[in-house]
Amino acid sequence: MRKFSCAVMSCLAFGLSASAAADEPLQSEPNPVGAQDYAAVHAILYIPTEAIDLVPTDECPIPGQSGNDNPQLGCTDLVAAAATFEPVANIDDIVTGVTDALAPYNVIVTTTRPPVYVPYQMLIPQDGDDPKSTSQTCTVAAADCDGIDRADIGFTNGGTAECMDPDPVMAALIAFGRMSGLEGKDNPMDVMMFPPDFTMPVTEFVDECNIIVTPENPDTMMPFPLACPASYHELSGMCDMDDNQNSHQELLAVYGAADPAILTDSAPPEIGAVDGAPAQDEVLPAASMISLSVPVTDDSGVSMVRIAIESPALETGFGAPGGLVDKCFGRACGVRTGGDATAQPIEFMRGADMAYPDQSAPFTMNELAAAPLPGGDYTITVEASDLAGNVAEPFTVMFSVEGGAEESGTSPDTGDADADADADADADNGDDADDDGATTGDEDSDGGSNVTGDGGDDEGCSCTTGSTGGNAAFLLLGIAGLAMTRRRKSA
């Protein structure tokens, strides 16, 4: 997926002046189709009521995040340096207003931060002025076309050079709309009206097709192109004319209509038998390898899973910092900073709905099946949660591999790790890492004291590099070398 940098694309519609086009409402259909190429599926919107720490992506503990928001790890290109964001005084009113406005949709609004392995949208309301910003909506949030990433960070503020006295609930809803793939439109009764009239705030995403409003390019005096392809708005919003958007129908297409059974779900996922896991306290022969397969089910149809293998031997023998290698979804797992510079997050393959991991088959972790494990003591942990916040009883097993340094008095031999990894590279082609990185833009290219935007329109992932810590070649199998086939979004 590609997110357009607001420094150059039409997300400047939220940071520059624009002329609204004539209102051309069209009759909308009663039942929305799914967002383009995938089915509607529910999501989490997390609004913090406690202080939130964020760091730039080049300081993220999992490398390879450049151009991507990562709410789970608190990494974003929207900050130029580590920063702490305190909750605003009226945060409870904002949460209530947003929750009420999103009641028609399958969006779980929560003030409890989900487990790190669960992707979510994060909205951080702020009330300080940002006089350097030219945003006309008092928001900073990139357009995530079709809302497919489910891992964006959006902000509001109290005023800019082009925006005064914003309504805090309406501004928060505008930011959420942007993170869901909506653009500005010409309907004063719609949240996404651009530019917004905060003297008459609205909180409804209107079930009506209206023309999308983009700004004029100050250099050419011509309108900027859409942030998302017109076909997405036509299909999701069921609009018959080009460059039209039906905000309500598009949100239904992305998230689905509110389902009380999902929004009030209290049953945790069930973790089945972990195939490939040793027995508790089992001692494996030297040079053993591990491949795990875990069936996980949930009554909501969506389970988020983390599989972790941890041992000091992974740090001393293969250069995995902290001795931890884990796999989940949403770029929050993988090889920690200090491992091989080309390492990427390790993600489960996306399912047919495109928004979350494939639920039709067991969750598998084959990344450690390409080279012998160093001798030592190991722990395998499997965790699972649904999107309603119900957490399963974790699976944990401890085992050992013969041949550790305490037995031989020497460090494990890793000389053939690269060769073994190359020889077995094709064995793990079912757990492709999602390395289709997307640049994260914002609507404020100037930025402020805490929040700043990226400066260009990068397609793909511009991965951060750092120093290499040890021989982590086996960890790269299925990370940098495996590419998941996934629909790429482009205008």
Side-chain angles (χ1 to χ4, degrees):
M1 183 192 67
R2 181 183 181 192
K3 287 188 216 167
F4 296 98
S5 166
C6 294
V8 294
M9 300 303 290
S10 65
C11 32
L12 275 172
F14 287 68
L16 297 176
S17 61
S19 299
D23 184 23
E24 298 182 33
L26 299 176
Q27 181 63 40
S28 62
E29 299 289 340
N31 298 311
V33 295
Q36 183 159 314
D37 291 347
Y38 72 96
V41 62
H42 54 300
I44 298 173
L45 175 63
Y46 167 55
I47 305 179
T49 55
E50 72 282 343
I52 289 293
D53 295 323
L54 297 177
V55 299
T57 56
D58 59 4
E59 298 178 19
C60 208
I62 301 290
Q65 304 283 343
S66 180
N68 291 299
D69 286 338
N70 192 325
Q72 299 148 280
L73 297 178
C75 313
T76 178
D77 285 332
L78 298 179
V79 296
T84 299
F85 295 87
E86 299 287 346
V88 293
N90 60 339
I91 187 63
D92 291 339
D93 294 335
I94 295 174
V95 171
T96 299
V98 170
T99 302
D100 291 344
L102 299 183
Y105 315 108
N106 239 347
V107 177
I108 299 169
V109 181
T110 181
T111 58
T112 301
R113 195 167 193 171
V116 70
Y117 55 90
V118 176
Y120 52 88
Q121 310 278 48
M122 181 159 67
L123 175 60
I124 305 177
Q126 296 286 283
D127 54 12
D129 291 342
D130 188 357
K132 293 184 179 180
S133 171
T134 57
S135 170
Q136 291 180 266
T137 62
C138 288
T139 66
V140 180
D144 184 358
C145 303
D146 275 356
I148 197 172
D149 199 37
R150 306 295 169 97
D152 303 295
I153 300 177
F155 295 85
T156 67
N157 57 51
T160 71
E162 301 290 339
C163 173
M164 295 178 59
D165 299 322
D167 179 80
V169 174
M170 184 177 177
L173 291 170
I174 292 172
F176 172 77
R178 293 294 285 174
M179 294 189 291
S180 303
L182 299 182
E183 314 201 40
K185 59 180 292 188
D186 183 20
N187 186 332
M189 303 307 295
D190 195 300
V191 167
M192 301 308 294
M193 171 66 182
F194 180 79
D197 181 1
F198 286 123
T199 66
M200 300 181 64
V202 295
T203 58
E204 183 180 359
F205 296 93
V206 175
D207 186 5
E208 188 175 282
C209 289
N210 307 106
I211 194 164
I212 296 171
V213 180
T214 62
E216 291 182 352
N217 185 323
D219 296 326
T220 65
M221 302 305 294
M222 298 293 291
F224 275 101
L226 304 182
C228 298
S231 61
Y232 290 13
H233 301 297
E234 292 163 14
L235 177 63
S236 302
M238 315 249 298
C239 298
D240 296 328
M241 294 185 64
D242 291 343
D243 299 349
N244 269 242
Q245 173 179 282
N246 184 317
S247 304
H248 173 67
Q249 295 291 334
E250 192 158 338
L251 290 181
L252 288 178
V254 172
Y255 302 115
D259 182 348
I262 288 179
L263 298 178
T264 60
D265 178 21
S266 61
E270 295 184 2
I271 299 174
V274 181
D275 185 29
Q280 177 67 28
D281 298 325
E282 183 176 356
V283 179
L284 300 182
S288 292
M289 294 176 281
I290 289 290
S291 178
L292 302 174
S293 178
V294 187
V296 180
T297 58
D298 186 73
D299 55 2
S300 70
V302 178
S303 301
M304 309 308 300
V305 176
R306 174 179 178 260
I307 303 176
I309 301 179
E310 190 169 10
S311 172
L314 291 176
E315 181 164 24
T316 59
F318 283 97
L324 173 64
V325 178
D326 58 356
K327 184 174 185 177
C328 60
F329 189 74
R331 302 186 300 272
C333 297
V335 184
R336 268 55 185 175
T337 300
D340 191 286
T342 60
Q344 294 289 303
I346 308 177
E347 292 191 60
F348 294 115
M349 182 178 244
R350 287 182 183 261
D353 58 35
M354 295 298 293
Y356 295 112
D358 184 3
Q359 310 288 318
S360 64
F363 293 80
T364 57
M365 184 174 185
N366 300 327
E367 279 73 16
L368 300 185
L373 292 176
D377 297 327
Y378 288 80
T379 300
I380 294 174
T381 304
V382 180
E383 301 170 271
S385 173
D386 60 21
L387 295 181
N390 303 303
V391 178
E393 185 71 24
F395 167 88
T396 302
V397 63
M398 292 179 286
F399 67 99
S400 300
V401 176
E402 294 179 337
E406 68 280 1
E407 298 177 16
S408 64
T410 60
S411 298
D413 180 10
T414 61
D416 294 330
D418 291 352
D420 291 338
D422 292 338
D424 294 337
D426 294 331
D428 181 25
N429 56 13
D431 295 301
D432 298 355
D434 179 12
D435 61 358
D436 182 17
T439 61
T440 299
D442 69 356
E443 286 120 23
D444 174 15
S445 58
D446 292 324
S449 60
N450 286 328
V451 180
T452 182
D454 60 38
D457 180 22
D458 300 326
E459 181 173 1
C461 174
S462 175
C463 300
T464 304
T465 60
S467 61
T468 300
N471 178 4
F474 87 111
L475 297 175
L476 303 183
L477 190 61
I479 306 173
L482 294 177
M484 187 192 76
T485 302
R486 173 177 163 194
R487 177 171 60 92
R488 177 175 290 272
K489 297 180 187 289
S490 58

